[in-house]
Amino acid sequence: MKTTFKLIMLLLSATFLLSSCGNNNGKSSGSDGALRSSNAEKVYVAPGEHDEFYAFMSGGYSGNLTVYGLPSGRMFKEIPVFSQFPTSGYGYSEETVPMLNTSFGFVPWDDSHHPDISQTNGELDGRWIFINGNNTPRIARISLKTFETEEIIEVPNSAGNHSSSFVTENTEYVVAGTRFSIPVPQKDMPISEYKGNFKGALSFIKVDQETGRMAIKFQVLMPGFNYDLSHPGRNKSHGWFFFTTYNTEEANSLLEVNASQNDKDFIAAINWKKIEEYVNNGGGKIMPTNYAHNVYDEHSHSATSTMIKEVLTVDPTEIPGAVYLLPTPKSPHGCDVDPSGEYIIGNGKLSADLTIHSFTKMLDAIENKKFDGDAYGIPILNFEDILAGTVKSGGLGPLHTEFDDKGNAYTTFFISSEVVKWKVGTWEVIDRKPTYYSVGHLMIPGGNSRKPFGKYVVAMNKITKDRYLPTGPELEHSAQLYDITGDKMELIYDFPTHGEPHYAAAIPADLIKDNSQKIYRLDENKHPYAVTNQSDAKVTRNGNEVHISMSMIRSHFTPDNIEGIKVGDKVYFHITNLEQDFDVPHGFAMIGANTSEILVMPGQTKTILWEPKQVGVWPFYCTDFCSALHQEMQGYIRVSPKESNIDLSWSLDGE
Ligand code: RUQ
Ligand code: CUA
C-alpha cells in the first residue's frame, strides 16, 4: 500500500515537473523538425485544394464531434451530437428536441469521448461514425453522408459509458461498456456494500446493415470493476472483444490509492460470437428497464423518441468459454489490437512497460486450462502463458497505442509526455518524440482497423500552455501532427482543437467526399408542415397555438407580414427553405425568442417555438448572409393583447 502510494505521488510530481518546465519547449523543437521549412510544404494545402483525410475529434465536455482536415488542421464543422447547438438550432428546434430525450428526461449536454468509423471486412467504409455520451450513457450514430446525428440510443444499467463506442469488423455491433459499476438493477443500498454486489454491464448494440439502426442485443453483466476502454478483435481474433479494467480491487472511495493496490488488473476477453449464439438459442434473461431510443428521419426532417422497457442480460458464468480475464499491469487505459488481430495491448498507465498479449497463446491457454484462479467464476488466464512480449520503453504512463501499415506501433506516454514508436513482434523501441504537452490519445487514420493509413499520427495533448497566443485562463487543447512515413517521426504541425478531444478517428477523404449530400430534395420532404411551393404558405390557429407554415428563398420569407398573434400564444414557425442549390442555407431569428435561431438547409423544414410576451410589432430576419439582398430578408409580426379579436392574416407584398 505504501509503495503504491509513493509511486503515485512520484508519477504526479513528474507530471507537474514536465508541465511546468515545458514553458520553453516551444522553442526547443528545432531538432524535431518543427522549424524545418520543408515541413511547411507537408501541411500546406493551397487555397482551393482539399485535404487528404477527414479527422473526427471528440469534443469531450462540448458533447459534440468536430471535423478537421489533415494535414492542414483546418476545422470544417462541429457536428452537434449530445449538446444543444444554437448555431443550427439542434436540440432547440421542435424536430431535434426528441434527440436529447433520455430516461432522465431532456438532457441537453454530455461528455463525448471516443468516435469510431464503421467498417466492412475490417476496413473503414465511410458510412457512419459512432460516438459515446459518457455521462448519461448513450451511443450516437452520425451519417457520413449528411454529417448529421441520425440516432441516439441510451444504454441502461450503465454509468460513465466509457469503454465505448467501438465497432466490430463488419459493424455487426457497436459496443458500449460501463466505466462505473453500479447496482443492477439500480436500488437503494449502502455504498460500502459495493464489493461483490455491483455489476459492470458491457452492451452489444446490433447495427442494421441497411439503415444503420441500433438495437441493444444483449448486455454481459460482469464483475463490479471499472471498464475503461475496449477494442474489437480483427482478422484471426474477429468474434472477440477486449476491455481494459481497473479498480479490480472494487474500492468505493479514494480510488487514486485504493484502486491502485493490485499489481495487475485485467483485460476482459469476450467471445461475443459465442454469446450471440447463446442468446439466439434463447439464452439470457430479460430484465425490465427503461431507456430512450431516438431516431432522426432525413425525409420528415424530424426525430422521434421511443422508450424501451426491457433489455436482455447474460450472466457470463453461465456460458462456458465466453469470457476470460487476461492479467495486465497496472490500471490499464487503452486496449488496442494490432491490424493482424494477434496482439492485444494493455497500456498500463501506472506502469513503465507495455504488456502485449498473444491471441494465439490466449486460445492455447484456454484450451489447456492454464488458469490462475478466477474472479467471480470467470477464469483468469495465467499471465506468463499468454504474454507475447513487453516493450521496455523507459517512458512513463503508457496510455494508448495505434498502428501503421508497416508493422510499427505508436504509444503515447502521458507522464513522460512523448510518443514512442516500436516494432510489433520484436518490441524494440525505434524512435521517440516529445509532445507539447501531456499527450492523452493519439490517432492514425484507420488505426483501429485492419488497414491503417500510416502517413500521419495526431497526438491529442491535454495541456496547451504556451503553444498559441494566450486567450486568458481557458485555452483550447492542442493537437500535434507527426509525419510517420520515415523511420523517425517528424513533428510537422500544431493546431488547436475544440472542447477536449479524448480520442479521434480519421479516414481518407476519397471514401467520403463524393458521397457527401449537397441538398435535401424538396420533392422528398415529408415534413407535415413543409411548404414546397410558396403559394401554400399559411397560418392556422388552434386555441392559443399558432402554426406558421412559412417558406424562404432568396431573398424573402412567405409570408413576411403576419397579424392576429396575441400575447400568450405559442407560435410555431415551421420554415421550409425552398432553395435547391448547394450551400444556400437561410437562417431565422425572432426577437425575444427563448429558444434559438435556426439554420435551415436547402429543401429542409425546421420548427422553432416563439412565445410573444409583449404587445407591438416585432421583426424577424434571416441570419445567414444568403445574397446581396440578405439584409432585405426580413418581416414583421403584429402582437396584440391577449383579449383582442383581430383576425389572423398574413401576406407578402400585400397579397
Ligand atoms: S479517454 S484521455 Cu483516455 Cu475517454 Cu479521455
Ligand atoms: Cu436568407 Cu439571408
Side-chain angles (χ1 to χ4, degrees):
M1 147 111 202
K2 283 239 178 68
T3 16
T4 311
F5 190 68
K6 270 195 211 136
L7 173 71
I8 295 166
M9 292 317 286
L10 187 85
L11 296 180
L12 287 176
S13 49
T15 320
F16 284 126
L17 209 70
L18 277 163
S19 359
S20 54
C21 74
N23 280 332
N24 53 15
N25 264 339
K27 281 100 203 169
S28 70
S29 46
S31 57
D32 306 319
L35 301 178
R36 213 173 287 165
S37 66
S38 63
N39 285 343
E41 283 162 32
K42 292 187 181 165
V43 296
Y44 184 66
V45 178
E49 300 281 300
H50 289 171
D51 278 282
E52 191 180 344
F53 295 95
Y54 284 99
F56 299 87
M57 304 219 180
S58 75
Y61 35 69
S62 85
N64 292 336
L65 182 68
T66 42
V67 189
Y68 294 78
L70 294 181
S72 74
R74 297 181 293 192
M75 181 175 147
F76 299 143
K77 188 178 180 183
E78 177 168 1
I79 302 174
V81 184
F82 297 111
S83 292
Q84 281 182 307
F85 197 60
T87 306
S88 63
Y90 179 87
Y92 294 94
S93 71
E94 295 298 307
E95 291 82 359
T96 53
V97 159
M99 291 301 280
L100 302 179
N101 187 42
T102 74
S103 63
F104 302 90
F106 179 73
V107 178
W109 66 279
D110 212 311
D111 177 20
S112 64
H113 277 230
H114 318 121
D116 203 18
I117 297 169
S118 59
Q119 300 185 10
T120 303
N121 296 323
E123 296 182 12
L124 302 183
D125 61 22
R127 288 181 292 169
W128 309 297
I129 185 163
F130 299 86
I131 190 165
N132 59 320
N134 194 50
N135 180 61
T136 303
R138 288 172 282 179
I139 300 288
R141 181 177 55 81
I142 293 135
S143 157
L144 290 179
K145 187 166 63 103
T146 60
F147 284 59
E148 298 286 343
T149 304
E150 282 190 334
E151 187 177 9
I152 293 180
I153 193 165
E154 193 179 354
V155 186
N157 297 331
S158 206
N161 171 34
H162 197 262
S163 36
S164 321
S165 51
F166 302 105
V167 300
T168 54
E169 254 196 9
N170 293 298
T171 322
E172 296 98 334
Y173 289 96
V174 54
V175 171
T178 198
R179 173 170 154 212
F180 309 114
S181 282
I182 48 171
V184 176
Q186 271 292 7
K187 63 174 177 199
D188 177 16
M189 65 179 277
I191 300 171
S192 59
E193 289 171 20
Y194 170 177
K195 194 165 186 161
N197 291 314
F198 285 22
K199 288 265 178 275
L202 307 179
S203 305
F204 284 73
I205 303 170
K206 192 94 195 150
V207 180
D208 183 278
Q209 293 308 301
E210 287 299 303
T211 61
R213 292 284 171 91
M214 300 184 283
I216 299 177
K217 175 99 173 175
F218 57 86
Q219 293 191 310
V220 189
L221 297 185
M222 294 286 287
F225 311 148
N226 286 38
Y227 296 85
D228 210 16
L229 278 165
S230 67
H231 260 15
R234 58 179 58 99
N235 268 324
K236 61 167 78 161
S237 52
H238 178 57
W240 291 77
F241 221 97
F242 304 95
F243 294 79
T244 42
T245 69
Y246 68 104
N247 192 23
T248 51
E249 296 85 350
E250 295 179 73
N252 59 282
S253 183
L254 195 64
L255 264 64
E256 62 171 315
V257 175
N258 296 328
S260 306
Q261 299 303 306
N262 292 348
D263 194 42
K264 295 195 177 63
D265 295 286
F266 303 117
I267 288 178
I270 313 280
N271 187 337
W272 59 261
K273 280 215 168 145
K274 194 157 246 170
I275 303 177
E276 184 182 57
E277 200 183 295
Y278 171 78
V279 302
N280 283 347
N281 289 324
K285 213 171 84 195
I286 290 172
M287 182 186 279
T289 184
N290 191 31
Y291 62 98
H293 183 208
N294 311 331
V295 180
Y296 184 82
D297 180 86
E298 177 188 321
H299 298 299
S300 65
H301 302 286
S302 303
T304 49
S305 178
T306 313
M307 297 309 294
I308 300 179
K309 299 293 180 191
E310 51 187 35
V311 70
L312 183 63
T313 60
V314 300
D315 173 349
T317 60
E318 286 180 2
I319 316 164
V323 181
Y324 297 91
L325 298 171
L326 286 48
T328 305
K330 259 262 35 157
S331 303
H333 191 56
C335 185
D336 302 302
V337 179
D338 83 310
S340 75
E342 167 63 9
Y343 298 114
I344 304 137
I345 291 138
N347 302 262
K349 60 188 190 290
L350 296 183
S351 70
D353 301 337
L354 214 61
T355 301
I356 295 107
H357 297 303
S358 154
F359 178 71
T360 312
K361 287 184 171 181
M362 181 190 99
L363 291 184
D364 181 73
I366 293 169
E367 171 113 20
N368 296 300
K369 302 210 167 7
K370 292 174 178 164
F371 299 148
D372 182 12
D374 71 288
Y376 299 102
I378 298 173
I380 300 171
L381 298 174
N382 190 36
F383 180 70
E384 273 75 33
D385 287 318
I386 54 171
L387 187 69
T390 323
V391 177
K392 298 206 185 303
S393 81
L396 271 181
L399 207 125
H400 178 200
T401 300
E402 293 246 307
F403 306 89
D404 67 12
D405 42 1
K406 298 176 209 76
N408 302 304
Y410 302 76
T411 303
T412 52
F413 285 74
F414 175 76
I415 296 168
S416 53
S417 206
E418 57 185 340
V419 178
V420 173
K421 174 181 179 182
W422 50 276
K423 188 106 213 129
V424 177
T426 70
W427 326 123
E428 78 196 283
V429 171
I430 300 168
D431 188 24
R432 60 198 322 139
K433 283 288 178 316
T435 61
Y436 307 99
Y437 309 94
S438 300
V439 62
H441 291 265
L442 79 176
M443 180 269 288
I444 290 172
N448 177 30
S449 77
R450 276 194 201 189
K451 190 181 166 196
F453 301 85
K455 191 162 180 186
Y456 303 110
V457 66
V458 178
M460 286 162 269
N461 303 305
K462 296 297 176 192
I463 297 178
T464 303
K465 288 199 180 275
D466 56 2
R467 297 307 285 182
Y468 313 115
L469 289 174
T471 51
E474 187 182 341
L475 306 170
E476 290 284 36
H477 283 211
S478 118
Q480 264 142 3
L481 186 72
Y482 297 81
D483 176 345
I484 54 167
T485 51
D487 277 351
K488 301 284 177 193
M489 297 176 274
E490 268 195 275
L491 174 61
I492 53 174
Y493 199 52
D494 257 20
F495 59 96
T497 52
H498 188 55
E500 180 180 359
H502 288 260
Y503 219 95
I507 180 168
D510 289 342
L511 292 175
I512 292 187
K513 66 176 188 206
D514 296 335
N515 195 30
S516 187
Q517 190 151 325
K518 295 195 163 60
I519 59 161
Y520 296 103
R521 288 178 50 171
L522 264 182
D523 58 7
E524 289 176 357
N525 185 325
K526 303 238 156 56
H527 192 289
Y529 288 95
V531 174
T532 51
N533 186 326
Q534 74 177 44
S535 58
D536 297 338
K538 60 172 189 259
V539 184
T540 55
R541 176 183 284 283
N542 181 5
N544 72 336
E545 266 186 22
V546 177
H547 292 273
I548 303 176
S549 304
M550 185 183 261
S551 68
M552 59 208 322
I553 196 161
R554 279 163 288 184
S555 295
H556 60 270
F557 296 94
T558 310
D560 67 358
N561 280 210
I562 299 167
E563 303 198 356
I565 306 290
K566 296 180 234 174
V567 169
D569 281 347
K570 281 175 172 291
V571 180
Y572 293 91
F573 293 95
H574 308 283
I575 310 182
T576 304
N577 180 348
L578 297 178
E579 308 283 353
Q580 292 286 269
D581 273 352
F582 186 29
D583 199 21
V584 192
H586 294 283
F588 176 81
M590 184 70 226
I591 189 168
N594 301 107
T595 46
S596 76
E597 57 137 16
I598 45 174
L599 208 54
V600 189
M601 295 305 123
Q604 191 177 41
T605 305
K606 271 191 191 171
T607 302
I608 202 81
L609 171 64
W610 178 60
E611 296 178 83
K613 304 203 173 55
Q614 297 174 32
V615 167
V617 177
W618 304 104
F620 57 87
Y621 68 96
C622 170
T623 50
D624 187 312
F625 200 102
C626 47
S627 75
L629 295 169
H630 156 78
Q631 285 300 80
E632 281 71 14
M633 196 163 169
Q634 63 167 60
Y636 282 107
I637 307 239
R638 174 178 171 189
V639 178
S640 307
K642 210 181 177 85
E643 57 284 355
S644 94
N645 46 22
I646 295 181
D647 283 340
L648 267 187
S649 66
W650 60 94
S651 61
L652 171 72
D653 202 17
E655 311 253 315

